[in-house]
């Protein structure tokens, strides 16, 4: 069989192209530290890597949402602690002293009442706290301040008097607003029931309607169940021309009871914060696990990759040297 010069050149060009391609692939593996850079190189690994990337980014979204929920809840807890501290200050510094016979002068009672009204206004400001552009205790209507202390001493929640009588239309509205939820997915498998409602165990509820914390409605004695309103009632009693110690004592007992409920609400927020911390640890562990899986699927053994690169570089250089001598002798050289 006769081997022509053109056949040799074609074969050489093909092999040189293969060497260049192999060198480029091995160089890319070293630079990117990936075992494949196109789906065609390893379709099975590429499909698995795609699934892992989706899990990774979903986990990242969950972490960001959790951090936002934690910041929002920290704001709620700080605000309720402020209100709780004001309630304790009123109980400690004013309620008991007001019942002391030596302090029952009109002037002293007036100074106590003024201080309590200042605390009452501060409570409303704390309950109207916001996070970014959302009011923390407004339920589903986070764009408007939830509480308003009127000039006559009444407190409105989203336009409704918190002293609504049980069974009234306003009371039912308040009850409905107190049950509002704001669920977020934190990677617990958010699911819906047959009525297209979120299953509470599969998501985290960020909502905390303010009336759940400071109360609404009235009890069987006609006393308000709202601690801000009760602070105003204490001030009214102190400002009365004739001080009724028994009435004030009843108001104080009710105020202290509501203060205990508020403290319990703060404690519950602490429990929820602990839950968020535990969930954050779980998500962080999941992130590390997913990254390890991604590395095992996409990553390359650098020692092996560099060895392959050096070998392909050697093969390419050898091919170039062969090319310089492939036509060193030809039929033209023997025609003389």
């Amino acid at each position: 069989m006769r081997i022509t010069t053109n056949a040799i050149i074609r074969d050489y060009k093909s092999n040189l192209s293969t060497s260049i391609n192999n060198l480029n692939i091995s160089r890319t593996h070293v630079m990117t530290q990936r075992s494949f850079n196109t789906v065609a190189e390893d379709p099975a690994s590429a499909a698995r890597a795609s699934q892992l990337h989706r899990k990774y980014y979903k986990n990242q979204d969950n972490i960001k949402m959790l951090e936002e929920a934690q910041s929002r809840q920290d704001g709620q807890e700080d605000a309720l602690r402020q209100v709780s501290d004001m309630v304790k200050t009123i109980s400690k510094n004013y309620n008991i002293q007001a019942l002391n016979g030596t302090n029952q002068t009109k002037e002293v009672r007036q100074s106590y009442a003024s201080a309590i009204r200042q605390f009452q206004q501060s409570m409303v400001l704390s309950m109207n706290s916001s996070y970014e552009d959302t009011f923390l205790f407004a339920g589903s209507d986070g764009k408007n301040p939830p509480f308003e202390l009127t000039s006559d001493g009444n407190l409105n929640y989203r336009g409704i008097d918190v002293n609504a009588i049980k069974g009234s239309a306003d009371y039912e509205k308040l009850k409905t607003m107190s049950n509002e939820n704001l669920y977020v997915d934190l990677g617990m498998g958010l699911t819906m029931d047959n009525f297209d409602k979120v299953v509470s165990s599969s998501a985290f509820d960020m909502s905390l309607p303010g009336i759940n914390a400071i109360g609404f409605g009235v009890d069987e004695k006609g006393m308000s169940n709202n601690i801000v309103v009760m602070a105003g009632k204490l001030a009214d009693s102190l400002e009365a021309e004739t001080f009724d110690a028994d009435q004030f004592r009843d108001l104080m007992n009710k105020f202290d009871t509501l203060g205990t409920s508020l403290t319990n609400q703060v404690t519950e927020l602490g429990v929820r914060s602990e839950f968020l911390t535990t969930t954050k640890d779980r998500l962080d562990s999941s992130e590390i696990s997913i990254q390890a899986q991604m590395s095992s699927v996409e990553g390359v053994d650098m020692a092996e990759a560099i060895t392959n690169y050096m070998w392909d570089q050697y093969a390419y250089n050898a091919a170039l040297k062969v090319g310089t001598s492939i036509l060193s002798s030809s039929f033209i050289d023997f025609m003389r």
Side-chain angles (χ1 to χ4, degrees):
M1 182 181 67
R2 185 169 65 90
I3 301 177
T4 65
T5 300
N6 286 337
I8 294 175
I9 293 175
R10 284 197 304 270
D11 188 53
Y12 171 74
K13 289 172 63 178
S14 175
N15 291 333
L16 181 62
S17 177
T18 300
S19 295
I20 294 174
N21 184 58
N22 291 339
L23 176 61
N24 183 62
I25 291 175
S26 60
R27 182 191 294 114
T28 303
H29 287 169
V30 172
M31 290 191 299
T32 62
Q33 300 182 20
R34 291 173 55 90
S35 59
F36 62 91
N37 290 282
T38 64
V39 175
E41 291 183 54
D42 192 344
S45 296
R48 186 181 176 193
S50 178
Q51 295 177 350
L52 290 173
H53 277 283
R54 284 197 295 270
K55 290 177 61 178
Y56 178 80
Y57 291 126
K58 176 62 176 176
N59 194 72
Q60 286 289 303
D61 289 341
N62 290 336
I63 291 176
K64 291 179 181 178
M65 181 59 70
L66 185 145
E67 291 173 347
E68 181 178 347
Q70 183 66 72
S71 297
R72 180 187 176 96
Q73 186 162 297
D74 288 344
Q76 293 173 340
E77 187 172 351
D78 289 342
L80 288 188
R81 285 189 183 279
Q82 292 172 8
V83 176
S84 180
D85 290 342
M86 285 184 273
V87 169
K88 292 176 182 178
T89 299
I90 292 174
S91 296
K92 180 180 179 181
N93 296 341
Y94 300 101
N95 286 350
I96 297 177
Q97 292 185 27
L99 292 173
N100 189 339
T102 60
N103 292 329
Q104 290 185 11
T105 64
K106 183 176 180 180
E107 292 75 13
V108 173
R109 294 200 311 270
Q110 181 64 45
S111 66
Y112 288 170
S114 297
I116 291 175
R117 292 200 186 280
Q118 289 295 324
F119 280 120
Q120 184 187 32
Q121 294 176 3
S122 297
M123 290 179 191
V124 175
L125 291 176
S126 294
M127 295 305 297
N128 282 336
S129 297
S130 61
Y131 171 72
E132 294 182 348
D133 60 345
T134 303
F135 289 93
L136 294 173
F137 300 101
S140 62
D141 183 20
K143 301 303 179 182
N144 299 299
F147 291 100
E148 178 189 6
L149 186 63
T150 63
S151 57
D152 56 1
N154 292 329
L155 183 69
N156 294 334
Y157 178 75
R158 291 164 62 177
I160 301 177
D161 190 345
V162 297
N163 286 338
I165 299 175
K166 189 174 183 179
S168 66
D170 283 348
Y171 183 87
E172 294 303 318
K173 291 179 181 178
L174 290 174
K175 186 176 180 181
T176 299
M177 289 188 288
S178 71
N179 292 322
E180 290 176 341
N181 305 108
L182 180 60
Y183 290 111
V184 293
D185 184 11
L186 299 182
M188 296 180 290
L190 180 67
T191 55
M192 310 290 287
D193 60 18
N194 294 333
F195 302 97
D196 290 332
K197 293 184 178 180
V198 176
V199 177
S200 59
S201 60
S202 66
F204 180 76
D205 186 10
M206 289 200 305
S207 177
L208 179 56
I211 51 176
N212 284 350
I214 61 176
F216 66 97
V218 294
D219 61 16
E220 62 279 359
K221 295 181 180 180
M223 289 187 180
S224 176
N225 290 326
N226 183 276
I227 199 166
V228 176
V229 174
M230 286 304 300
K233 296 299 182 183
L234 289 173
D236 290 342
S237 179
L238 290 170
E239 291 173 340
E241 287 295 328
T242 303
F243 179 66
D244 188 336
D246 292 334
Q247 179 195 44
F248 187 82
R249 186 177 291 105
D250 290 340
L251 293 173
M252 183 177 67
N253 291 336
K254 178 70 173 183
F255 186 78
D256 290 340
T257 299
L258 296 176
T260 300
S261 299
L262 178 60
T263 301
N264 293 337
Q265 187 69 59
V266 175
T267 302
E268 183 179 342
L269 279 176
V271 174
R272 295 173 66 183
S273 294
E274 183 64 26
F275 169 78
L276 290 177
T277 300
T278 303
T279 303
K280 178 67 162 52
D281 292 340
R282 177 178 60 81
L283 292 176
D284 288 340
S285 297
S286 296
E287 181 178 2
I288 295 173
S289 176
I290 294 172
Q291 287 178 336
Q293 295 178 59
M294 291 168 61
S295 178
S296 65
V297 173
E298 300 177 314
V300 66
D301 185 340
M302 287 304 296
E304 180 181 357
I306 293 174
T307 300
N308 292 336
Y309 170 68
M310 297 302 295
W311 172 255
D312 289 333
Q313 180 70 55
Y314 174 78
Y316 174 67
N317 291 337
L320 292 178
K321 290 181 179 180
V322 170
T324 61
S325 60
I326 193 170
L327 295 178
S328 60
S329 297
S330 67
F331 175 74
I332 302 300
D333 297 322
F334 298 96
M335 289 184 66
R336 296 178 183 179

